[in-house]
Each structure stands twice: as structure tokens, then as C-alpha cells.
Amino acid sequence: MTNIFNLPVELPNEELFESLASSTNLLIERIISTGQTTPTGEWYDQKRDEWVILLQGEAKIAYLDNPAVTLKAGDYLLIRAHQKHRVEYTSSEPPCIWLAVHGNLQ
Amino acid sequence: MTNIFNLPVELPNEELFESLASSTNLLIERIISTGQTTPTGEWYDQKRDEWVILLQGEAKIAYLDNPAVTLKAGDYLLIRAHQKHRVEYTSSEPPCIWLAVHGNLQ
């Protein structure tokens, strides 16, 4: 049995993206963040919708056209395709564990 | 912000299925179980693949053609379309909180 809370003994300096299941039009991935943020002035602009839940840690996501949101464990949200957003904060103690589903959700 | 661990004050006697996000080919849902199991001799036989993670509680899933698996919080698995399975056990204290993604994952 595979457990999403099992982390590698040593985490890399970069965010860690791991595919848990995928097909042509759908990707389920785990993301581990340990303090990384989106560089100032940069925005994610994704082709697909992303449904994402934070399962451990604390984080803050900012939008270009909407108020920023702070997330704690269990909080989830839907980021529409091309909705510009950036990660403003991720906790490192404990690391952030995200579960993201990328696909067509509209 | 919506949190997957927030439960209704009163849970129904039946399992509770709630769509969190969906489109034609994709459904993300929360399932809350409080002791319910699949009736003896019955099997789920689903048209779509199901990726499912147990986020709270303990549960046991049996397969027609494979050994049963016991799940604790954070454990996840992929149930292929038409892979016959049944839920043999779900804890009620605490309730089981499942996150399921139904779609094409092959």
C-alpha cells in the first residue's frame, strides 16, 4: 500500500513533483514543497484546470485577479485553466504535501 | 476556503457522496463512510477507473481476483474499470473520509 504522507528521507531543494496516476487527459500528482515559492513577478498560466488540496502544512496562493487565499491541511480549491496564480508561501516544517488533479473540469 | 475534513454535524445513516468538481469525463468526489460496507455477495463493477485515497479512518477493500487490502489514513490505490471490488470494512470512529477521482486513467 502506498501512502501519500510517506516522504523521502532526504528532500531535494526544489519542489518535488510525482505522478501518482495519469492518462492522456488526466494527471494526479503529489507535490512536496518546503518553503519554495513562485519567483516574484512570475505567474502560473496552465492549459488545464487544476483541482488541488493541501494535505499537510500551510500555504498561500495569490491570483492576478482575485484575493490571495491561505490554505491549511484539508483545504482545497479549483484553479481554472489560464487563471494566473502564484504560490506565495509554503511551510517547510512540516513540508507541504499537495494532491493535484489536472484535467478538464469545466 | 472549503476543507475536506469538515464534516456535517449530523451524518446520515447511508454513505455520503459529494461532488467536489466534475466535468463530462471526470468526477472528484468526497465519500464519508461510518461503518457501511458493500452487502455480502455484491461487487462494484465500475465503467471508469477510480483513483481513491483514504484521508481519515480505516477501511478494507476486497477484490474478486486479488488479495484484500487494509487502508489507513493517506493510503491510496487505483481501481481499474471493471475491476470487481467491495468495501469490507469502514471505521465509524473516526468516520472514513475518502477522496475519489473517477475518470480514464489507463
Side-chain angles (χ1 to χ4, degrees):
Chain A
M1 186 61 54
T2 322
N3 192 286
I4 203 160
F5 296 111
N6 286 354
L7 299 188
V9 176
E10 279 200 57
L11 287 169
N13 290 330
E14 306 292 315
E15 282 187 309
L16 189 61
F17 296 82
E18 298 162 283
S19 170
L20 305 182
S22 70
S23 63
T24 310
N25 298 313
L26 182 55
L27 168 64
I28 301 173
E29 68 175 355
R30 178 173 78 163
I31 305 165
I32 302 170
S33 316
T34 50
Q36 297 89 354
T37 57
T38 312
T40 306
E42 290 188 17
W43 297 90
Y44 282 108
D45 182 351
Q46 300 175 146
K47 290 181 184 168
R48 298 192 288 193
D49 304 312
E50 176 179 2
W51 185 92
V52 64
I53 183 169
L54 184 66
L55 292 176
Q56 179 181 285
E58 294 187 359
K60 185 176 179 183
I61 291 179
Y63 298 98
L64 185 59
D65 296 325
N66 277 294
V69 291
T70 301
L71 294 96
K72 62 181 190 301
D75 287 339
Y76 61 86
L77 49 81
L78 178 64
I79 302 170
R80 301 280 179 191
H82 300 297
Q83 185 176 15
K84 289 187 182 177
H85 64 283
R86 52 193 305 280
V87 180
E88 288 217 327
Y89 170 75
T90 60
S91 63
S92 55
E93 294 287 342
C96 286
I97 300 177
W98 307 85
L99 175 66
V101 179
H102 302 267
N104 172 25
L105 281 163
Q106 311 200 55
Chain B
M1 186 60 55
T2 323
N3 192 286
I4 204 161
F5 295 112
N6 287 354
L7 298 188
V9 177
E10 278 200 56
L11 287 169
N13 290 330
E14 307 292 314
E15 282 186 310
L16 189 60
F17 297 83
E18 297 162 283
S19 170
L20 305 182
S22 69
S23 64
T24 311
N25 299 313
L26 183 54
L27 167 65
I28 302 174
E29 68 175 356
R30 178 173 79 163
I31 305 165
I32 302 171
S33 316
T34 49
Q36 297 89 354
T37 58
T38 313
T40 305
E42 290 188 17
W43 297 90
Y44 282 107
D45 182 351
Q46 300 176 145
K47 289 181 185 170
R48 297 193 288 192
D49 303 311
E50 177 180 1
W51 185 91
V52 64
I53 183 168
L54 184 66
L55 292 177
Q56 177 181 287
E58 294 188 358
K60 185 176 180 183
I61 291 179
Y63 297 98
L64 185 59
D65 296 324
N66 277 293
V69 291
T70 301
L71 294 97
K72 62 182 187 304
D75 286 339
Y76 62 86
L77 48 82
L78 178 65
I79 302 169
R80 300 280 179 192
H82 300 297
Q83 186 177 14
K84 290 187 182 177
H85 63 284
R86 52 193 304 280
V87 179
E88 288 215 327
Y89 171 75
T90 60
S91 63
S92 55
E93 294 288 341
C96 286
I97 300 177
W98 307 85
L99 174 66
V101 180
H102 302 267
N104 172 24
L105 280 162
Q106 309 201 54

